[in-house]
Amino acid sequence: MLPRKSMTWVLLLLLLSPAIINLSTSQSDARWAAKKRRLRDKVHKMFYHAYDNYMIHAFPHDELKPLSKSFTDSLSELGNLKLERLPQDYSGSALTLIESLSSLVIMGNNTEFQSAVVWLSENLTFNVDARVNLFECNIRVLGGLVSAHLLATDSTDRLGKGVYKNQLLTLAQDLGKRFLPAFNTPTGLPYAWVNLKYGVMENETTETSTSGCGSLILEMGALSRLTGDPKYESAALRALRKLWSMRSSLNLLGTTLDVSTGEWIEHSSGIGAGVDSFYEYLFKAHILFGKEEFWRMFHSAYIAVQKYFRHGPWYHEADMRTGKATYWQLTSLQAFWPGLQVLVGDIAAANSSHREFVYVWKKYGVLPERYLLDHQMLHPTEKYYPLRPELAESTFYLYQATKDPWYIEVGESIVNSLNLYTKVDGGFASIRDVTTMQLEDHQHSFFLAETCKYLFLLFDDSFLVEKNYIFTTEGHPLPVLSSWHDRLPETYIQTNRTLLKTGNQAQRTSSMSKQVCPPTTFNSWECSGQEVESACHVPDARGDHRCLTDDECGVDSSNCRRRSCSMAGYCGLWLFI
C-alpha cells in the first residue's frame, strides 16, 4: 500500500487533472484564435495593398500591371493598347473594381463598397465596340454585378438610405442582353466571343470549350430570377442541355467543340482547363435552383470522373470515347476539385487530392501551371503561377468541413509564399517561372475576387454565419433562396432518393441530397435502416464482382474507397482488411 502522504498527492492530482486539461485546451483554443486573427489581418493587408495600387495606377481600366504601375484592358481584345489609341467611347470596364465588390463586403468595408457602387452606377457602360470572351465576361463582370446587387439589397442595410435603386441589376441586365446574340447558332451552343456593341462578328471562330458553353447557368439563371425575364436562363440551359447530349457512352465530354456543327474538336479531357467549371456548375446549379435535372447530370458525370480519370489521389486526362488515359499531368486549375468534393460530401477523397497539391506547392513555393505526373517534373513551358486561387479555395472548404487546424497551417503557408515571392511595391505580380521566381507584370482581377477572399474566409468566416451561399467559379457569393427553387408537385418522387427507416416511418433521402458521402457519416438515427448509396460509388465492371485487374473494380459505396482485385479474382476492400 502507498504511504498516507503519497495517497494524498495522488488524490490531489486526480482532482486537479480535469482542471489542468481544461486549462490546456482553453489555452490551445485561445492560441489558435489569436493565430487566425493574425493571419486574417495579414490577408486584409494583402487585399488592400493590391486594391489600393489598382485604384491609384490602373482604375478605371481592367487590371493592374504592378511592376510598371500601369494598366491593361485584358477582358477584351483592346488589351495592351495605349490610352490614346483607345476608341473615344471606351473608358475601361473597371474589371478589378467589379471583381472586388463582394470582397469589400466580406472584409466589412461598406463605405468603399458604397463608393464603388455609386461610381459604377454613374460611369459604367457596355455600349462599346469591344470583342469580349463570353465565358470570362460572364463569370467576372455579370457574376460580379449580380452578386453585388444581391449584397446591396439583403437585410443588412449596408448602403445608405436612398443610395441604391437597383443600378447594378440594370447594368447586369444590359450586359445579359448583349450576350444573347452569341447563342444564335444552329446548336444553341454560344460563340466564345461576342462584340458588346455589334454582336457576333463576321467570320467569328466557331470553336469554344466545354467550360465556355457549359458554365453560364449560375449567373444567367440568377439574372432571370432577379429580373423575371426567363430568356437569359433559357439560353444558358439550352446550351447546357445540348452539351450534355454530346457526351459519350461513358458519360465523358471532350474539351473543345464546334458551336455550328456540334462536333467535338478535342476528345481528350479531364477536370482541369477547358472543362473544370462545367462540373462545378452542374452541382452548384442543383443547389441554387433545386432542379432535379442538374443533379442527374452531375451524378452521372461525377461517377464517370471517378471511374476514368482518377488514379489514387491524382486525376489524369482521358479520351472521352474510350476512357483510356491520354495525359498524366496535374494542372493548377484542378486544385478546385477537392473543394467541389467537399460540397458533395466526399471528404476523404478531397483530403487525399488536396494533400498532393499542397506537396507540389511546398516543393516549388507556389503551384505551377502544369506538372507532369508520369515524370514527376514541371512542364517545360508552362512553369508560371498567375496568383491562382484554387488551392486556397479548396483549403477553405476542407477547413469548414473538418475544422482540422492543419488546413490553417496550409493557409499560412500560402499567405507567406504570396508575400515572399509575389508582393512588390505596386501590388502583387504573377510568377513567370517558378524555378527562378521571375515575375510577370500582371495582377489578375481574380487575385482580389478569389485568392484573397478565400484566404480571408479561411481565417474569419463571420460573413457566412447563419447564411447560406454558393460561390461562383469566380468567387462571387450567391445566396441560396427557397424562392429560386423549382416547385415540385406533391406526387413527384426524385429518382436519386432511397428509402430510410426511422422508427416506423420510411423517409426519402440520399447521400447527395444531404451533401454527405460516405453515408456512414450520417447520424446513427438517420441511418438506422437501409444504407444509402454514395455519390462517389462506382460499380465493379462485372455484376458477379469477378476481376483480372484492379481496373475492373470500382469505388465502394459505403466508404468511397477504391476496391482492388484479389489474388482469387474478386473485387473488394482487400487493401483495408
Side-chain angles (χ1 to χ4, degrees), residues 308-426:
Y308 296 107
F309 296 162
R310 185 176 179 181
H311 183 77
W314 301 105
Y315 290 83
H316 57 72
E317 296 181 21
D319 190 305
M320 63 174 285
R321 298 163 296 187
T322 64
K324 298 298 183 182
T326 52
Y327 302 107
W328 292 80
Q329 57 189 3
L330 171 150
T331 63
S332 61
L333 288 171
Q334 292 176 353
F336 91 98
W337 188 255
L340 178 61
Q341 289 187 301
V342 170
L343 291 180
V344 175
D346 200 347
I347 307 299
N351 174 63
S352 177
S353 294
H354 177 267
R355 287 178 181 266
E356 298 299 330
F357 284 107
V358 172
Y359 165 78
V360 176
W361 177 286
K362 290 184 175 180
K363 182 176 181 178
Y364 293 102
V366 292
L367 195 61
E369 189 69 4
R370 200 173 295 270
Y371 181 78
L372 304 179
L373 295 173
D374 46 352
H375 299 292
Q376 291 291 296
M377 61 176 284
L378 283 174
H379 188 278
T381 59
E382 297 185 45
K383 298 185 287 186
Y384 54 89
Y385 170 67
L387 307 175
R388 290 205 189 278
E390 285 76 16
L391 183 60
E393 176 186 2
S394 287
T395 304
F396 156 71
Y397 278 114
L398 276 161
Y399 180 69
Q400 285 291 313
T402 66
K403 299 304 179 185
D404 186 337
W406 183 79
Y407 296 108
I408 298 295
E409 294 176 356
V410 172
E412 182 178 23
S413 175
I414 295 173
V415 168
N416 290 339
S417 290
L418 290 171
N419 279 291
L420 177 63
Y421 298 120
T422 72
K423 185 178 181 181
V424 295
D425 184 55

Side-chain angles (χ1 to χ4, degrees), residues 15 66 104 111 113 116 120 123 140 154 194 200 211 253 301 309 331-333 384 394 424 446 507 524 558 562 568:
L15 290 171
L104 290 169
T111 302
F113 176 67
L120 291 168
N123 296 279
R140 297 189 187 206
D154 66 15
V194 64
V200 178
S211 290
L253 294 89
F309 296 162
T331 63
S332 61
L333 288 171
Y384 54 89
S394 287
V424 295
F446 55 67
Q507 293 184 334
S524 58
S558 63
R562 183 81 193 188

Side-chain angles (χ1 to χ4, degrees), residues 22 39 88 126 187 210 249 276 278 282 320 333 337 361 364 372 382 412 433 448-449 452 488 510 524 565:
N22 289 335
L39 290 169
Q88 290 184 352
F126 297 117
T187 60
T210 298
S249 59
D276 48 358
F278 164 75
L282 285 181
M320 63 174 285
L333 288 171
W337 188 255
W361 177 286
Y364 293 102
L372 304 179
E382 297 185 45
E412 182 178 23
D433 186 337
L448 293 106
C452 289
L488 303 177
S510 75
S524 58
C565 189

Side-chain angles (χ1 to χ4, degrees), residues 30 83 90 93 99 101 111 118 132 169 207 212 241 252 256 258 276 344 356 359 516 534 540 548 576:
L83 181 60
Y90 187 78
S93 66
E99 289 258 72
L101 291 173
T111 302
V118 170
V132 301
L169 181 59
E207 182 175 346
R241 285 170 173 163
L252 297 176
T256 58
D258 188 298
D276 48 358
V344 175
E356 298 299 330
Y359 165 78
V516 176
S534 300
D540 296 332
L548 294 175
F576 300 95

Side-chain angles (χ1 to χ4, degrees), residues 33 35-48 100 102-109 389 391-393 395-397 399-400 403 407-408 410-412 414-415 418 446-465 471 475:
K35 183 172 186 175
K36 287 170 65 177
R37 286 194 300 271
R38 178 175 58 79
L39 290 169
R40 174 202 63 191
D41 293 344
K42 202 168 185 178
V43 175
H44 189 271
K45 290 178 181 178
M46 289 169 57
F47 174 83
Y48 281 102
S100 300
S102 59
S103 296
L104 290 169
V105 171
I106 287 172
M107 296 189 187
N109 194 340
L391 183 60
E393 176 186 2
T395 304
F396 156 71
Y397 278 114
Y399 180 69
Q400 285 291 313
K403 299 304 179 185
Y407 296 108
I408 298 295
V410 172
E412 182 178 23
I414 295 173
V415 168
L418 290 171
F446 55 67
F447 180 71
L448 293 106
E450 299 181 83
T451 308
C452 289
K453 177 182 292 162
Y454 285 122
L455 288 170
F456 187 88
L457 287 171
L458 172 64
F459 306 127
D460 182 352
D461 61 359
S462 55
F463 170 76
L464 301 172
V465 173
F471 289 89

Side-chain angles (χ1 to χ4, degrees), residues 98 101 120-121 124-126 134 137-138 140-150 164 166-180 196 218-227 229 231-232 478:
I98 295 171
L101 291 173
L120 291 168
S121 303
L124 185 61
T125 177
F126 297 117
L134 176 66
C137 200
N138 174 72
R140 297 189 187 206
V141 183
L142 183 61
L145 292 172
V146 167
S147 174
H149 165 75
L150 288 161
Y164 189 69
N166 295 335
Q167 300 99 312
L168 298 182
L169 181 59
T170 300
L171 285 167
Q173 188 168 18
D174 178 45
L175 182 60
K177 289 177 181 177
R178 296 174 190 275
F179 285 172
L180 294 179
L196 292 180
L218 292 186
E219 294 83 0
M220 296 187 74
L223 181 60
S224 281
R225 303 303 168 106
L226 290 168
T227 62
D229 189 337
K231 61 188 176 188
Y232 312 107
L478 298 174

